[in-house]
Amino acid sequence: MSLTKNPNVLKWVDEMIALTKPEKVVWIDGSEEQLNALRKEAVETGEMIELNQEKLPGCLYHRTNPNDVARVEDRTFICTRNKEDAGPTNNWCDPKEMYAKLSKLYDGAMKGRTMYVIPYSMGPIGSPLAKVGVEVTDSIYVVLNMNIMTRMGADAFKNLGDTSDDFVRGLHSKANVDPEQRYIVQFPEDNTIWSINSAYGGNVLLGKKCFALRIASFQGKNEGWMAEHMLILGVKKPDGEVKYITAAFPSACGKTNLAMLIPPEGYKKDGYEVFTVGDDIAWMKPGEDGRLYAINPENGFFGVAPGTNEKSNFNALESTKKNTIFTNVAIDNSDNTVWWEKLTKNPPVDATEWKGAKVNGVEYTAQGNTLAHPNSRFTAPAENCPCISPEFNNPKGVPVSAIIFGGRRASTTPLVYQSFDWVHGTYMGSAVSSETTAAATGAVGVLRHDPMAMKPFIGYNVGDYWAHWLEMGEKLGDKAPKIFNVNWFKQDENGNFIWPGFGDNMRVLDWIIKRCEGTVDAEETAIGYVPKKGDINVDGIEDEVTPEVMDKLLNIDKDLWTKEIAEMRRYYNEDIAAKGGRIPQALYDELDKIEARLK
Ligand code: GTP
Ligand code: SPV
Ligand code: MN
C-alpha cells in the first residue's frame, strides 16, 4: 500500500514501475517489523550474513561484487540541458539522450524482483534546511543502509505533504552489476538521479553523494545555501562555550576521524570536549542572526573501516558495536565477528577475506594481501556515537565559526595556515589538491586537484560554484566563518608522517579557535597567516614533535610554493577556463597577489 496521497510521488513511482517491471512493489514505512522481515529475508537469500549477535547485536555483513567496491567517477554524469552548465569537472551528456539510453537498461531490470519505495528526509524532519527524497530500488541492502543513513519512512512523506513536487526522485537498480553498463547519473534540473548496475555505497545510497552533494549543491546555488563535503564538529572549551567547525577533506582523508576526535590528556584535564555533528556532509545557510548555520543531512556514518581502532578512533569503533552493516571487511571465523587492517595487531588465523575466500589470515597478510578491502566500510547509526552532539537533531543547525580545507600532501602545504579573508579562503579551497585514495576506482596516491574536496560532487559548473562561494561570503560579511587549511600528512624523506595526527589534531583546532577569538597572534606569510613559533601546543608530544619537526611542519618553502602557484595558474587556465569553467576574476586576483608576495 502506498504511504502517500501525493499525486506527484504516485505518478513518478508508477512510471518507474512501468519502466522496470518489478514483480512486486513494497513501500517502506520504516517500522521495525518491516525492517526485521527484510533483514531475515536478506540473510535467508545469502545477500547478507548475520554476525555474532551477542558480540555485535543487530549487525549484518555484506560483500559486494569485486568489480563494485567504490565510487566510479568515470561513469558518473551531470546531465544539464546545456553542456556548459555541467562544466569541466563533470562528465556530461544531453539529458534526453541519457534518459533514452538508460531507459533501455532499466527496461524490465526488476523483472522477478521486488521494488522497494523508500521515502526519506535528508536533515532532521521538519527542519527548514531538510529536504525529502524518494528512492526506488531492487536492493534490500540499500533499504537497510538508507534506514541507517537517513530519516527513512512514513514521516518523510508527512513532511513532504500531499501536493508538493519538491522531492528528489532516485531510481536505483543493481540490474546485473555489469561494470560496462554502470551509470551514476544526476539530472539536477529535474531533481532526478538514475543509478544502475552498482550495489555499492556512494553509487546507490542515493541520499548521500548523489542527492546531498551533487543535486543539493545545485539547489543551494539557486536557493542561497551551500552543500559541502564537510564534517561538522563542536569543541567545548573549559569556559563551557562550544565552537563549531566544519572541515572539507577529500574522500578517505580524515573527516570521520577528525569529527570524532578525542582530545589529548592535557586538553581533557583542562575541560575540552569534542562533539560530532556530522562526518561527511554539511548543508549550510545563513541564519536569522546573519551567521552561517550547518546541519548534517545524514543520520549515520558510512565510514572507512581499515585503520579504525580503539586508539585511532575509539568513538567510530564504538559506533559499530550494534545495529551496524559491514561491507567488504573480513570475517573472523573463530567467533563470527569482523576484522580489518589495523583493527588489532594480529589478523585472525581463521579468516574469510573480503572476496569470500577462507584463508589463514596471518599467512595471507604476510604475503602482502589485505583481508579487508581498503575501501571497506561500516554503516553505523549516529545515535551509537558516544560523542554525538546534543545539537545533532537541532532543526536550526549549529553556528559555524571556522571552515577548514585539507588534503593529503607529502610536502609543500604546512600543518595549518589561515586565509587573509573569505575571498582568499575561497581561493584556498579552489586550490585543494590531494593524493588519491581507494574511495574511488583508479590509481591510488596520485596528486590531483580536488577543489573544496568537491571535485566528484559539484553538480554544476565549478566556476559558478566558486562564484557562489564568493556570493555567500559577501552575504555573510563580517559574520563569515574564518577559513583555514590543514595538512596532517606531511612526510619525511623516508615517507613517514611527521605529525602524529588523530587526537593530536586537537592542538591545531585549539590554534584555529584562538585565531577566531583573536587571542593568538600569527606570522603573516605570502600564502596566509601561519602559527608563530611556540603557538602550537606540543605538551606531552615534545619527544616526537621537536622544534625541528615543528619548523618543518610550518615551513613555507619558497621554491615549492612558486611551483605550486605556477601549477594553480596552469590548472585554472588549462583544466578549468579552457574547458568552459567560468572562473571569477576575484580568484585570478588572489593568484596574482600570492605570486607577487612570493617574489
Ligand atoms: P570518506 O568517508 O571517504 O569521505 O572519508 P573520510 O574523510 O571520512 O576519511 P576517514 O576519517 O575515514 O580517514 C581515512 C583514512 O585516513 C584512515 O585510514 C585514517 O586512518 C587516516 N587518517 C585520518 N586522520 C588521520 C591523521 O590525522 N593522520 C594520519 N596520518 N592519518 C589519518
Ligand atoms: C566518499 O567516497 O567520499 C565517501 C564514501 O564518503 S561514498 O559514500 O561511497 O561516496
Ligand atoms: Mn565522503
Side-chain angles (χ1 to χ4, degrees):
M1 214 194 62
S2 60
L3 295 167
T4 179
K5 284 194 271 231
N6 187 309
N8 305 305
V9 174
L10 296 175
K11 176 166 171 276
W12 171 72
V13 172
D14 279 347
E15 284 166 15
M16 296 305 104
I17 293 170
L19 177 60
T20 59
K21 307 178 177 60
E23 186 179 300
K24 211 167 90 179
V25 178
V26 172
W27 291 70
I28 299 296
D29 59 17
S31 66
E32 261 322 291
E33 200 187 345
Q34 189 185 43
L35 289 167
N36 273 332
L38 289 173
R39 289 181 189 115
K40 199 164 157 250
E41 185 182 336
V43 170
E44 276 167 10
T45 61
E47 184 180 350
M48 300 183 83
I49 295 171
E50 191 170 70
L51 293 162
N52 184 324
Q53 292 301 295
E54 254 153 55
K55 293 188 174 171
L56 296 168
C59 292
L60 294 171
Y61 177 90
H62 179 73
R63 194 174 277 135
T64 65
N65 192 311
N67 74 34
D68 188 27
V69 294
R71 285 182 294 99
V72 279
E73 296 181 3
D74 55 330
R75 311 204 61 96
T76 299
F77 287 76
I78 299 293
C79 296
T80 44
R81 279 189 295 276
N82 296 316
K83 185 175 184 197
E84 308 79 63
D85 292 336
T89 56
N90 288 307
N91 299 312
W92 175 86
C93 176
D94 178 73
K96 269 200 202 117
E97 222 173 277
M98 189 56 104
Y99 280 127
K101 175 159 134 182
L102 294 189
S103 290
K104 286 195 195 125
L105 299 179
Y106 281 112
D107 187 6
M110 295 192 194
K111 264 191 194 150
R113 299 183 186 176
T114 302
M115 172 191 276
Y116 302 97
V117 183
I118 310 171
Y120 64 95
S121 169
M122 297 310 286
I125 289 188
S127 162
L129 285 99
K131 290 203 173 260
V132 173
V134 184
E135 174 166 357
V136 298
T137 177
D138 51 8
S139 160
I140 295 182
Y141 173 75
V142 167
V143 177
L144 296 179
N145 272 276
M146 289 293 281
N147 176 51
I148 299 172
M149 294 306 295
T150 74
R151 279 96 171 163
M152 181 187 91
D155 284 353
F157 274 144
K158 271 191 214 142
N159 200 40
L160 180 68
D162 283 345
T163 54
S164 173
D165 196 29
D166 186 13
F167 65 97
V168 171
R169 298 143 165 80
L171 167 63
H172 167 247
S173 172
K174 57 191 171 191
N176 335 305
V177 200
D178 176 0
E180 300 303 318
Q181 301 294 335
R182 186 168 295 154
Y183 289 94
I184 316 301
V185 182
Q186 285 69 206
F187 303 91
E189 290 152 348
D190 305 339
N191 273 343
T192 294
I193 304 156
W194 281 16
S195 159
I196 190 161
N197 277 310
S198 173
Y200 184 80
N203 297 331
V204 301
L205 309 179
L206 300 185
K208 196 172 178 58
K209 296 297 163 50
C210 303
F211 176 176
L213 289 179
R214 298 195 188 102
I215 299 279
S217 61
F218 177 84
Q219 294 175 327
K221 177 196 62 151
N222 296 325
E223 298 166 10
W225 53 282
M226 309 164 89
E228 299 294 337
H229 194 200
M230 289 178 178
L231 67 93
I232 310 167
L233 64 79
V235 179
K236 187 166 162 202
K237 301 182 300 159
D239 65 7
E241 192 202 356
V242 183
K243 284 257 192 262
Y244 292 95
I245 297 173
T246 67
F249 309 151
S251 301
C253 289
K255 288 183 300 299
T256 304
N257 277 273
L258 188 66
M260 299 181 189
L261 165 159
I262 294 179
E265 278 312 316
Y267 280 90
K268 274 201 251 177
K269 225 180 267 161
D270 289 345
Y272 282 91
E273 261 184 276
V274 169
F275 296 103
T276 309
V277 181
D279 81 325
D280 197 47
I281 298 177
W283 286 359
M284 304 189 290
K285 192 178 184 176
E288 276 165 20
D289 61 2
R291 295 185 67 190
L292 190 62
Y293 281 75
I295 63 161
N296 172 10
E298 301 190 283
N299 202 23
F301 310 117
F302 186 62
V304 178
T308 307
N309 59 50
E310 206 142 303
K311 227 178 131 233
S312 69
N313 196 343
F314 172 85
N315 289 315
L317 193 62
E318 275 302 298
S319 308
T320 67
K321 298 265 167 86
K322 58 179 183 191
N323 304 329
T324 292
I325 298 171
F326 296 91
T327 303
N328 295 339
V329 302
I331 294 183
D332 179 344
N333 295 318
S334 71
D335 62 353
N336 194 27
T337 57
V338 286
W339 195 86
W340 50 76
E341 274 58 36
K342 292 199 185 148
L343 172 62
T344 55
K345 212 160 158 205
N346 301 314
V349 175
D350 184 5
T352 302
E353 53 84 82
W354 69 271
K355 293 188 292 304
K358 285 211 173 186
V359 295
N360 177 321
V362 176
E363 285 170 12
Y364 189 73
T365 50
Q367 288 157 4
N369 305 302
T370 65
L371 283 173
H373 186 274
N375 192 39
S376 55
R377 302 237 168 196
F378 52 80
T379 318
E383 64 181 18
N384 283 3
C385 181
C387 62
I388 195 72
S389 165
E391 302 300 315
F392 178 71
N393 286 310
N394 186 337
K396 275 174 59 183
V398 295
V400 181
S401 295
I403 292 174
I404 305 178
F405 294 115
R408 283 176 191 264
R409 296 296 304 266
S411 71
T412 314
T413 313
L415 179 63
V416 59
Y417 66 108
Q418 182 189 357
S419 75
F420 293 117
D421 53 35
W422 181 277
V423 179
H424 177 220
T426 302
Y427 165 81
M428 263 164 50
S430 80
V432 169
S433 52
S434 188
E435 289 138 23
T436 50
T437 66
T441 54
V444 167
V446 183
L447 190 65
R448 76 158 184 186
H449 288 276
D450 191 347
M452 279 79 170
M454 280 285 281
K455 170 172 188 299
F457 309 122
I458 302 167
Y460 59 105
N461 188 303
V462 59
D464 297 348
Y465 168 78
W466 290 335
H468 180 54
W469 263 81
L470 295 174
E471 272 164 36
M472 292 300 296
E474 265 170 45
K475 205 184 292 178
L476 293 160
D478 61 3
K479 291 190 172 139
K482 303 276 185 280
I483 300 180
F484 299 81
N485 195 93
V486 301
N487 178 20
W488 315 140
F489 299 93
K490 225 171 178 185
Q491 294 177 11
D492 63 15
E493 306 71 35
N494 305 319
N496 301 311
F497 297 124
I498 59 173
W499 174 249
F502 300 99
D504 287 309
N505 293 331
M506 178 66 218
R507 301 164 190 277
V508 173
L509 297 184
D510 182 18
W511 185 78
I512 286 172
I513 289 169
K514 292 196 168 110
R515 286 298 294 166
C516 292
E517 293 177 328
T519 52
V520 69
D521 213 356
E523 195 82 39
E524 192 172 330
T525 75
I527 65 161
Y529 297 116
V530 174
K532 288 198 154 163
K533 261 195 179 43
D535 280 347
I536 298 285
N537 172 10
V538 290
D539 286 356
I541 52 166
E542 301 92 338
D543 290 351
E544 192 177 345
V545 186
T546 60
E548 295 77 63
V549 170
M550 189 51 84
D551 279 348
K552 272 194 204 164
L553 282 165
L554 296 179
N555 180 41
I556 313 292
D557 184 307
K558 216 175 139 176
D559 291 341
L560 286 179
W561 272 95
T562 305
K563 280 192 200 132
E564 180 91 359
I565 294 304
E567 167 54 25
M568 267 310 285
R569 199 174 286 286
R570 187 208 62 75
Y571 171 66
Y572 271 10
N573 287 337
E574 293 176 21
D575 295 357
I576 305 296
K579 294 183 177 154
R582 304 179 271 232
I583 304 179
Q585 182 57 38
L587 295 189
Y588 269 118
D589 295 345
E590 288 301 318
L591 198 52
D592 292 342
K593 282 194 266 181
I594 302 171
E595 200 171 57
R597 286 194 294 262
L598 277 165
K599 270 180 190 147

